Amino acid sequence: MVKLIVTDLDGTLLNDEKHIPKENIEALKTAMEKGIHVSVATGRNFYSAKPYIEELGLDVPVIFQNGAFIYQWMEDKVIYKSELKTEIAERVIETARKYQIFYILYRDFLEEKDMYIDQPYNGNFSLYLNQNRWRLNIVDNVLKYLKNKLTVAEIALVGNEEQITHALNEALDGLRNATSIVKNNTINEETFYEVFGPNASKEHSIKYLLEYFNVTPDETMYLGDSFNDIGLLKMVGYPVVMENGHSEVKQYARYITKPNNEAGVAYAVKKWALGIDE
């Protein structure tokens, strides 16, 4: 029996136009009316995800930035955060420069304009940068914005996966226990990797939601589509992957639902959580 539904946002709850289909909203609100808890676990930061949290009317802890930050926004209550030490962030950036890998600094979890870059980018994740231009600072040297800060939220690296993993192995030699590496997404030949502080992942952070809602993993449905969802999909009793999800991710699904552009969250919630057959 499903007692908690947790959904990813991009590629899952949201369609490709970055809107929540009304069928998804209606299905999740029906679930809440029937006593099923609902929350979100996303790679987005708080301000980027806030419009969708408001649209769903969620006043509960929500997992942001792939588990590095859990926040109950209406109460301005930080439940959990995993910060990356500035000295490690500097090493990652300097190594990325050495191998000519594109990098992004995310300076703070609750800084609205939190993204900093100091080099041009034209690649498969250009759409991501364009969609987030409202939170983007284009500066002459990212390292200047680390001064007088002990920690930051994260560093992202974008490019060839083999080259990125090689660079991270070099930069984080002896420091792996102080970091969490999350493979977020792959588009064609480029991969988006994120470097967080320790114990930052959706699967680590879900324990805070389980405790808050007093439910077990077996009573939890999680809906996702990408590599950063795999750990959590492996944990829960009702792992659901979107039809549009990566083929490698689908092998961890108990159920495959309709694509995000066809309100696949609504279909899954009604069929496997509420027992409604259409």
Side-chain angles (χ1 to χ4, degrees):
M1 180 180 176
V2 177
K3 294 184 179 180
L4 170 62
I5 298 168
V6 182
T7 179
D8 176 44
L9 290 180
D10 295 280
T12 303
L13 185 68
L14 311 184
N15 60 24
D16 289 349
E17 277 67 55
K18 303 303 178 184
H19 299 301
I20 308 178
K22 61 178 176 51
E23 298 94 330
N24 287 350
I25 296 173
E26 291 168 357
L28 290 173
K29 288 191 173 180
T30 298
M32 288 187 275
E33 288 167 3
K34 293 186 176 296
I36 299 175
H37 305 292
V38 172
S39 188
V40 165
T42 178
R44 288 176 177 247
N45 81 335
F46 165 65
Y47 284 104
S48 180
K50 184 182 177 184
Y52 308 115
I53 307 304
E54 288 181 310
E55 197 170 3
L56 292 172
L58 299 182
D59 181 22
V60 297
V62 169
I63 296 171
F64 300 101
Q65 288 181 254
N66 288 312
F69 189 59
I70 306 176
Y71 187 51
Q72 192 168 357
W73 74 280
M74 285 189 183
E75 297 183 16
D76 189 24
K77 184 177 181 181
V78 176
I79 308 296
Y80 175 78
K81 63 179 175 179
S82 174
E83 297 170 305
L84 180 66
K85 290 182 179 178
T86 297
E87 61 196 62
I88 298 176
E90 289 175 345
R91 287 182 61 163
V92 172
I93 289 169
E94 287 166 354
T95 308
R97 286 175 172 176
K98 175 181 174 181
Y99 291 101
Q100 297 183 314
I101 298 169
F102 182 73
Y103 53 86
I104 307 168
L105 163 67
Y106 298 78
R107 196 164 177 264
D108 191 90
F109 293 115
L110 288 175
E111 183 177 326
E112 190 165 359
K113 200 172 180 181
D114 65 324
M115 296 170 64
Y116 293 76
I117 62 172
D118 57 13
Q119 57 185 307
Y121 173 79
N122 184 24
N124 292 299
F125 288 89
S126 293
L127 179 61
Y128 167 78
L129 286 180
N130 185 54
Q131 289 171 335
N132 287 276
R133 61 187 180 277
W134 58 272
R135 51 191 283 224
L136 191 62
N137 301 275
I138 301 173
V139 300
D140 61 340
N141 184 359
V142 158
L143 293 178
K144 289 181 181 178
Y145 295 85
L146 294 179
K147 288 182 179 178
N148 303 318
K149 280 189 71 67
L150 297 176
T151 60
V152 298
E154 63 166 296
I155 303 291
L157 302 183
V158 182
N160 175 270
E161 182 169 12
E162 186 175 344
Q163 194 176 32
I164 289 173
T165 55
H166 177 76
L168 288 176
N169 286 337
E170 181 177 316
L172 302 177
D173 184 30
L175 298 169
R176 284 282 180 169
N177 290 340
T179 63
S180 303
I181 310 301
V182 176
K183 178 181 177 180
N184 191 315
N185 198 7
T186 294
I187 303 176
N188 298 325
E189 73 280 3
E190 287 190 299
T191 301
F192 194 105
Y193 269 86
E194 295 175 273
V195 183
F196 297 97
N199 300 316
S201 66
K202 290 185 179 183
E203 59 269 28
H204 177 83
S205 298
I206 194 67
K207 68 181 184 182
Y208 292 94
L209 266 62
L210 298 177
E211 183 178 336
Y212 180 86
F213 293 115
N214 192 27
V215 300
T216 68
D218 287 344
E219 297 168 327
T220 301
M221 171 182 283
Y222 180 67
L223 303 102
D225 72 302
S226 199
F227 300 103
N228 57 339
D229 298 312
I230 290 174
L232 193 41
L233 289 166
K234 290 165 67 175
M235 283 184 61
V236 301
Y238 297 82
V240 181
V241 175
M242 314 302 290
E243 178 57 43
N244 54 282
H246 291 275
S247 57
E248 296 173 53
V249 180
K250 289 179 181 176
Q251 66 180 304
Y252 299 100
R254 179 175 171 183
Y255 308 107
I256 303 293
T257 189
K258 291 181 179 180
N260 65 316
N261 286 329
E262 297 178 23
V265 167
Y267 180 84
V269 168
K270 286 190 279 188
K271 188 174 181 66
W272 298 304
L274 298 175
I276 302 171
D277 282 313
E278 293 184 327

